[in-house]
Amino acid sequence: MGSSAHEIQSHLKKYYMVFGALLVLTGVTVAVAEMHVSIGMAIVIALFVASIKGTLVACYFMHLMEERSMIMWILALCAFFFLLLLLFPVFTVGEQIGGLAEPMRGLSPQ
Amino acid sequence: MYNGKFGIWLFLASEIMLFGALFSTYVLLRVGAPEGTWPIAGAATTRGDEILNVALAALNTAFLITSSVTMVLAWANLKMMNFKKGQTMLLVTVLLASAFLVVKYFEYNAKFHHYAVTFNEHFEHEGVESNTFTATTPAGTTKTIHYLHGHVESTKKNAEGVIESYEFLPDAEHGHGDAATHKAVEIPASEIARITNYGPGGSTFLGCYFVITGLHGLHIIGGIVVMLYFLATGSKMWKTQPDKYANRIECTGLYWHFVDLVWIFLFPVLYLL
């Protein structure tokens, strides 16, 4: 990132604002959880808020926005493989999600 | 971009995959868990926050977020040639990280002394009564479960060393009658169908919880060690190469923000869903 003393001085206010936003969003996450919405809705809201918080940390504290595009590409590749990692097992056992498939029932706890 | 920073970014990329693998494992197990087994079997619980301490976790989230700010301020002050303030901010970061670990210790300790007891049939003794819920088995039949959550104060054993009864202190929110006043009750072992500790072996959820938060905790310890080094002997570099020293703090900061970022996702996923 641009790192002259003057530039850094101008960034300080941003850091405090992001700090405030992160604390508020943490409060929002807890408040939504207390509302006991359905599990599907809870997952969507929780991950959405966490994604905003994560983006704020990465963009402002880690200065990702000012990094070279090569770093972005490396992280994008990671994100792609992470999604693959997340979805691949779901595809293979898809018929079991939400309840056990017929052949597995004999093995499940009664 | 200097080599050290590029190296840290590559390291963080590998860390994303490490936590990503555990995260995807957790999601798969969570989504595929049969009803009545998540987060712990034999109790009317469906979400992590029913057996975890959300208030302590929220406090820890605040500690980590604040430590991220102090970390970036440490680097900013060093870049502005303000060594003393930079060191102070780094020290505050170490203190906040240590506070996180202290809170985690209390959380872990409470789990190792906490149990879910499932009874053979309805239990009522000394004013304490079991709770009930109806579980649907994967075969489609229903089964009434009688249970209590709480702490085992002590055990009575026979001459062969086999446990005969448990001195059990039910949780106020889960017990009826005198449980609300937090009175311990003696439960004969013969009336217990299953007693499950909230430790890593207690359930799939608890196994995931301890592995993921344990690994995250090890990362916190690693960060503290590095920061202490730069506060102590590592700080000598400031006198000869202040720019290089500030760059090293920047690399430490990148790692530290990543540790914060992981927790930002772990908190809702483990504690609130």
Side-chain angles (χ1 to χ4, degrees):
Chain A
M1 72 170 289
S3 53
S4 72
H6 180 71
E7 276 178 287
I8 290 168
Q9 185 71 43
S10 67
H11 277 100
L12 291 182
K13 196 179 170 192
K14 243 184 257 176
Y15 297 147
Y16 290 118
M17 284 169 70
V18 170
F19 174 49
L22 289 172
L23 288 182
V24 169
L25 287 171
T26 301
V28 169
T29 310
V30 176
V32 169
E34 288 301 311
M35 287 160 67
H36 289 274
V37 293
S38 68
I39 186 79
M41 184 59 81
I43 288 173
V44 170
I45 296 173
L47 290 184
F48 178 68
V49 175
S51 299
I52 295 174
K53 288 167 74 180
T55 307
L56 286 174
V57 169
C59 289
Y60 292 98
F61 291 167
M62 300 172 92
H63 308 120
L64 193 57
M65 285 193 303
E66 295 153 57
E67 284 298 349
R68 289 169 61 169
S69 60
M70 181 176 58
I71 298 296
M72 300 281 197
W73 281 110
I74 291 171
L75 294 179
L77 201 65
C78 272
F80 171 74
F81 280 115
F82 169 64
L83 284 176
L84 213 61
L85 202 66
L86 198 68
L87 294 176
F88 240 53
V90 176
F91 290 148
T92 57
V93 293
E95 61 179 319
Q96 279 184 247
I97 302 302
L100 293 177
E102 201 61 39
M104 294 292 287
R105 284 191 174 157
L107 301 173
S108 61
Q110 298 296 304
Chain B
M1 178 184 293
Y2 50 94
N3 290 346
K5 195 173 179 183
F6 183 58
I8 279 286
W9 275 115
L10 285 181
F11 170 68
L12 294 184
S14 72
E15 288 279 274
I16 291 172
M17 295 315 289
L18 172 66
F19 278 100
L22 291 170
F23 191 82
S24 63
T25 304
Y26 172 81
V27 170
L28 188 71
L29 290 169
R30 170 72 183 95
V31 175
E35 192 189 341
T37 62
W38 198 273
I40 194 160
T45 51
T46 53
R47 299 180 353 162
D49 65 348
E50 290 170 86
I51 63 168
L52 297 177
N53 193 327
V54 177
L56 285 184
L59 179 67
N60 259 351
T61 306
F63 281 155
L64 274 197
I65 287 172
T66 312
S67 75
S68 251
V69 182
T70 54
M71 187 76 221
V72 79
L73 290 176
W75 168 79
N77 277 291
L78 290 173
K79 277 288 185 187
M80 293 187 290
M81 300 306 283
N82 193 343
F83 178 70
K84 216 169 182 182
K85 205 168 176 191
Q87 290 286 85
T88 307
M89 285 298 163
L90 200 58
L91 181 64
V92 174
T93 310
V94 171
L95 292 176
L96 287 165
S98 307
F100 178 94
L101 289 179
V102 169
V103 170
K104 208 82 210 130
Y105 163 77
F106 283 111
E107 260 196 279
Y108 276 9
N109 194 42
K111 291 287 154 290
F112 282 110
H113 293 95
H114 208 187
Y115 290 82
V117 176
T118 311
F119 297 92
N120 295 320
E121 51 194 35
H122 181 71
F123 174 82
E124 192 172 359
H125 187 58
E126 297 171 14
V128 174
E129 206 179 327
S130 60
N131 296 300
T132 57
F133 83 100
T134 306
T136 307
T137 66
T141 57
T142 56
K143 190 178 177 184
T144 303
I145 309 281
H146 308 276
Y147 72 96
L148 274 177
H149 293 256
H151 290 78
V152 173
E153 301 280 284
S154 61
T155 55
K156 277 186 192 165
K157 294 178 181 175
N158 63 17
E160 285 87 46
V162 178
I163 295 173
E164 282 185 328
S165 67
Y166 295 86
E167 189 77 9
F168 192 77
L169 183 66
D171 289 346
E173 67 267 33
H174 290 294
H176 294 302
D178 283 351
T181 57
H182 243 46
K183 182 185 169 190
V185 62
E186 191 173 339
I187 303 175
S190 57
E191 297 202 25
I192 295 174
R194 175 185 166 131
I195 180 161
T196 310
N197 180 234
Y198 280 26
S203 72
T204 307
F205 168 76
L206 286 164
C208 292
Y209 166 78
F210 277 99
V211 167
I212 300 174
T213 59
L215 183 68
H216 181 262
L218 288 176
H219 279 73
I220 298 270
I221 292 170
I224 290 174
V225 170
V226 172
M227 284 186 273
L228 284 177
Y229 169 74
F230 284 120
L231 276 170
T233 53
S235 67
K236 286 175 190 162
M237 186 188 279
W238 176 259
K239 287 174 187 161
T240 52
Q241 298 166 289
D243 258 352
K244 198 170 179 184
Y245 180 72
N247 285 346
R248 290 193 172 184
I249 296 299
E250 185 181 19
C251 290
T252 310
L254 284 176
Y255 169 81
W256 192 252
H257 300 313
F258 174 78
V259 171
D260 179 27
L261 216 149
V262 169
W263 182 258
I264 281 173
F265 282 92
L266 287 186
F267 172 54
V269 170
L270 286 177
Y271 284 83
L272 303 175
L273 298 182

